[in-house]
Amino acid sequence: MTYWQALLLAIVEGITEFLPVSSTGHMIIASALLGIPATPFTKLYLVVIQLGAILSVLVVYWKRFFQNIDFYLKLLVAFLPVVVVGLLLKKHIDALLESVAVVAFMLLFGGVVLVFIDRWFPQEDSNEGGRPVTNPSWRQAFVIGVFQCLAVVPGVSRSAATIIGGLTQKLTRRAAAEFAFFLAMPTMAGAAAKDMYDFYKESPVGLSMGEVKLLLFGNAVAFVVALLAIRLFVGFVTKYGFQAFGIYRILVGGILLIMLALGINLQLV
């Protein structure tokens, strides 16, 4: 992987991490279009640079971190389901990271859901029912965590899954989105740590200095780009909802399926 390729993937990650369009799916597509080999390091890079984007939450919402222990325990409750699923399905998840077809199908299906999600869960008002933004009940936190498990399939979108989970629990769009951002931090930190551990366990030499520099570079770029994207997304989705993202997903997923049907090779090599 070259620095140019690493830069493009990091930009894609930073833009899409908080959008309900699947950052992993877009990076898989970008990797295929750029002709990046599906090496163990490539798979590691696609996961680890998501941590850089997620860290932007620390900057944008730093005041929200000074909450009581109750909030963090609810994050733990929401985090645990994906830990169990991730550990049980790790090998299957890694195999899916090479499939553009899976990404295409899930983008299309998820797009249809997002087109109608605002009708299914209309926003009657902006009142949070007295509960602080990003701080759902224990039951709501667990249900959101269960929904997050759907995102182990590339193309589903962790952001979309957790936000929809929040909407099913009668949170407002803003509250659902912001809790999803906070939940992403332990989730992606855990995923990055697990992938790093597996990489070193399976690789006799570990990361080269060049690969370490690429990871640091990618995380830095994703962090900066995500800082801009996160505020724009919250403002947009609060005002306009999710339909535009659903239409985008349907178009991208449909185009990818047509390309695959025409025999155009989009698989990672």
Side-chain angles (χ1 to χ4, degrees):
M1 182 185 297
T2 66
Y3 273 93
W4 174 247
Q5 292 171 329
L7 172 66
L8 292 177
L9 289 179
I11 291 174
V12 170
E13 162 57 25
I15 293 173
T16 60
E17 177 58 45
F18 300 108
L19 306 184
V21 297
S22 178
S23 60
T24 300
H26 277 71
M27 285 193 290
I28 291 172
I29 295 168
S31 298
L33 294 175
L34 292 170
I36 300 174
T39 64
F41 174 73
T42 298
K43 295 179 182 179
L44 180 68
Y45 184 86
L46 296 183
V47 173
V48 172
I49 66 166
Q50 295 182 56
L51 185 59
I54 291 300
L55 289 177
S56 65
V57 176
L58 283 172
V59 176
V60 176
Y61 293 105
W62 66 272
K63 291 183 179 180
R64 301 276 178 85
F65 281 88
F66 296 97
Q67 302 192 46
N68 56 39
I69 191 65
D70 177 76
F71 170 72
Y72 293 99
L73 290 176
K74 288 173 182 174
L75 276 182
L76 177 62
V77 168
F79 170 60
L80 289 177
V82 80
V83 173
V84 175
V85 172
L87 290 174
L88 291 176
L89 302 178
K90 179 66 169 61
K91 292 184 178 179
H92 300 289
I93 295 170
D94 286 344
L96 292 176
L97 287 174
E98 299 181 20
S99 176
V100 175
V102 170
V103 172
F105 276 112
M106 297 316 300
L107 281 173
L108 187 61
F109 176 76
V112 173
V113 173
L114 287 181
V115 164
F116 294 101
I117 198 70
D118 294 318
R119 299 181 189 178
W120 296 338
F121 303 102
Q123 302 289 289
E124 296 180 1
D125 53 51
S126 59
N127 180 27
E128 296 294 338
R131 181 174 292 112
V133 174
T134 75
N135 194 5
S137 69
W138 293 96
R139 178 182 176 279
Q140 289 172 327
F142 177 75
V143 172
I144 293 171
V146 172
F147 268 83
Q148 182 175 228
C149 295
L150 299 173
V152 299
V153 180
V156 169
S157 171
R158 189 205 57 77
S159 178
T162 50
I163 289 173
I164 290 173
L167 293 176
T168 67
Q169 298 307 295
K170 302 188 183 305
L171 297 185
T172 64
R173 294 170 188 154
R174 178 179 288 275
E178 292 182 351
F179 187 76
F181 299 161
F182 279 89
L183 180 56
M185 297 189 70
T187 301
M188 295 317 305
K194 181 64 168 63
D195 276 43
M196 190 71 75
Y197 171 78
D198 290 340
F199 183 87
Y200 272 95
K201 184 174 67 174
E202 298 171 5
S203 174
V205 294
L207 291 169
S208 67
M209 183 55 65
E211 290 172 333
V212 171
K213 291 179 179 178
L214 281 172
L215 284 175
L216 293 175
F217 173 73
N219 273 282
V221 173
F223 172 79
V224 173
V225 176
L227 278 177
L228 304 174
I230 187 172
R231 289 187 182 277
L232 292 174
F233 169 67
V234 172
F236 182 91
V237 78
T238 300
K239 186 174 183 179
Y240 299 107
F242 297 97
Q243 188 176 55
F245 297 105
I247 294 171
Y248 169 80
R249 288 179 63 120
I250 291 171
L251 290 175
V252 174
I255 290 171
L256 288 174
L257 289 175
I258 291 172
M259 293 174 70
L260 291 171
L262 293 174
I264 299 174
N265 183 20
L266 294 177
Q267 301 304 312
L268 299 184
V269 295

